[in-house]
């Protein structure tokens, strides 16, 4: 059976005080079928590691360097993150592709660096509204996945893929369950072409997931959970989504 995941992406949000309240509230999480993780700004990793120690909730980063160490001012390596007990790392989020000009190749290198350091890379893919309206959604998302394909074969463990249509992130517009399922089924068939194991890669949906739409999205046959932005900052909402 494929793994299920619900992963919170806090983005550039949080304070020591607010994190403590949020993480303390998340500890009330009842056991779920899904694995739960929060990806926090890296400066908050020590606090997160301390507060979540001994719980079933995993923690991770929102980006990693493609490099193992050296003269890369401002970057953080996967092994540094791993030292703090991080077990997952988002790579290729559309905000990084947009604001940091990350290419498909950069994302593949980061995913491989994370995997080699023992982190589970959560590789984000997704098309813009203009690309969808031009009928290019599958071509764009397929190319984003294909860039990782060669690296994928060398991963020591399966990555997680997150389909996040850019037009649905933080906009309140969610892909309909049918739209999301169609893209997930496409991604599943592309993965199946790589290897039978790759067919088992969990594919999460991200883009304005909330308690009111989570159950319907997660009920789709190829949707294995969610990558949650805004709603992961509200304990009650994240708990409800995890329960769904
Ligand atoms: C995200 O940034 O990964 C995301 C899915 O954001 P939101 O849930 O706020 O749309």
């Amino acid at each position: 059976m494929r793994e299920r995941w619900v992963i919170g992406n806090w983005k550039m949000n949080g304070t020591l005080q607010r994190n403590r309240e949020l993480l303390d509230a998340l500890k009330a999480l009842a056991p779920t079928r899904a694995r739960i993780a929060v990806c926090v700004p890296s400066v908050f990793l020590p606090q997160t590691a301390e507060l979540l120690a001994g719980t079933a909730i995993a923690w991770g980063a929102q980006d990693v360097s493609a490099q193992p160490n050296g003269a890369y001012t401002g970057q953080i390596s996967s092994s540094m993150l791993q030292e703090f007990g991080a077990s997952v790392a988002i790579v290729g989020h559309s905000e990084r592709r947009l604001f940091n000009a990350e290419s498909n190749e950069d994302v593949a290198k980061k995913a491989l660096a994370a995997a080699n350091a023992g982190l589970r890379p959560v590789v984000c893919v997704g098309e813009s509204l203009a690309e969808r309206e031009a009928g290019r959604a599958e071509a764009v998302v397929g190319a984003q996945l294909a860039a990782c394909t060669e690296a994928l074969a060398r991963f020591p463990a399966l990555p997680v893929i997150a389909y996040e249509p850019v037009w649905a992130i933080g906009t309140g517009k969610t892909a309909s369950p049918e739209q999301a399922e169609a893209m997930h089924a496409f991604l599943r068939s592309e993965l199946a072409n790589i290897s039978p194991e790759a067919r088992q890669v969990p594919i999460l949906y991200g883009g304005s997931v909330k308690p009111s739409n989570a159950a319907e999205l997660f009920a789709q046959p190829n949707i294995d959970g969610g990558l949650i932005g805004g709603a992961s900052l509200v304990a009650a909402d994240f708990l409800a989504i995890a329960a769904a």
Side-chain angles (χ1 to χ4, degrees):
M1 192 195 278
R2 292 193 307 267
E3 285 174 340
R4 292 186 156 255
W5 282 87
V6 172
I7 302 177
N9 172 16
W10 289 6
K11 311 195 186 196
M12 198 172 70
N13 291 296
T15 65
L16 290 172
Q17 173 64 28
R18 283 224 316 271
N19 304 343
R20 176 174 291 278
E21 288 162 13
L22 179 55
L23 292 171
D24 280 345
L26 294 190
K27 289 188 201 167
L29 181 73
T32 64
R33 251 184 79 197
R35 301 177 70 174
I36 311 295
V38 287
C39 290
V40 305
S42 293
V43 288
F44 294 139
L45 278 169
Q47 182 196 29
T48 305
E50 187 191 320
L51 289 173
L52 292 182
T55 72
I57 305 172
W59 58 93
Q62 300 168 8
D63 179 46
V64 299
S65 174
Q67 309 299 333
N69 59 272
Y72 300 101
T73 303
Q75 299 192 30
I76 297 179
S77 76
S78 294
S79 56
M80 292 173 186
L81 296 164
Q82 210 248 3
E83 216 180 344
F84 279 109
S87 53
V88 299
I90 297 171
V91 295
H93 191 280
S94 60
E95 287 152 15
R96 292 210 54 94
R97 290 178 188 262
L98 179 66
F99 301 129
N100 298 75
E102 288 187 8
S103 67
N104 290 346
E105 291 66 34
D106 296 331
V107 174
K109 282 186 199 146
K110 289 179 172 212
L112 188 58
N116 282 338
L119 303 178
R120 197 80 184 269
V122 180
V123 183
C124 298
V125 296
E127 81 287 357
S128 67
L129 186 57
E131 288 162 341
R132 175 161 282 265
E133 287 177 347
R136 296 185 51 239
E138 280 192 0
V140 169
V141 170
Q144 291 170 339
L145 181 71
C148 287
T149 309
E150 199 226 331
L152 205 75
R154 291 188 281 143
F155 282 178
L158 289 182
V160 174
I161 305 290
Y163 168 57
E164 299 208 306
V166 179
W167 47 273
I169 295 181
T171 58
K173 285 188 198 149
T174 316
S176 69
E178 295 73 26
Q179 279 173 321
E181 170 57 22
M183 187 60 84
H184 281 233
F186 165 72
L187 285 165
R188 180 91 51 221
S189 70
E190 293 291 287
L191 288 164
N193 290 335
I194 301 171
S195 69
E197 297 78 49
R199 218 188 137 70
Q200 297 305 315
V201 166
I203 308 177
L204 315 185
Y205 169 78
S208 300
V209 177
K210 346 179 225 285
S212 57
N213 60 20
E216 206 187 351
L217 284 160
F218 298 167
Q220 302 304 310
N222 284 292
I223 299 184
D224 304 318
L227 181 56
I228 319 298
S232 72
L233 298 169
V234 181
D237 287 357
F238 191 63
L239 287 171
I241 292 167

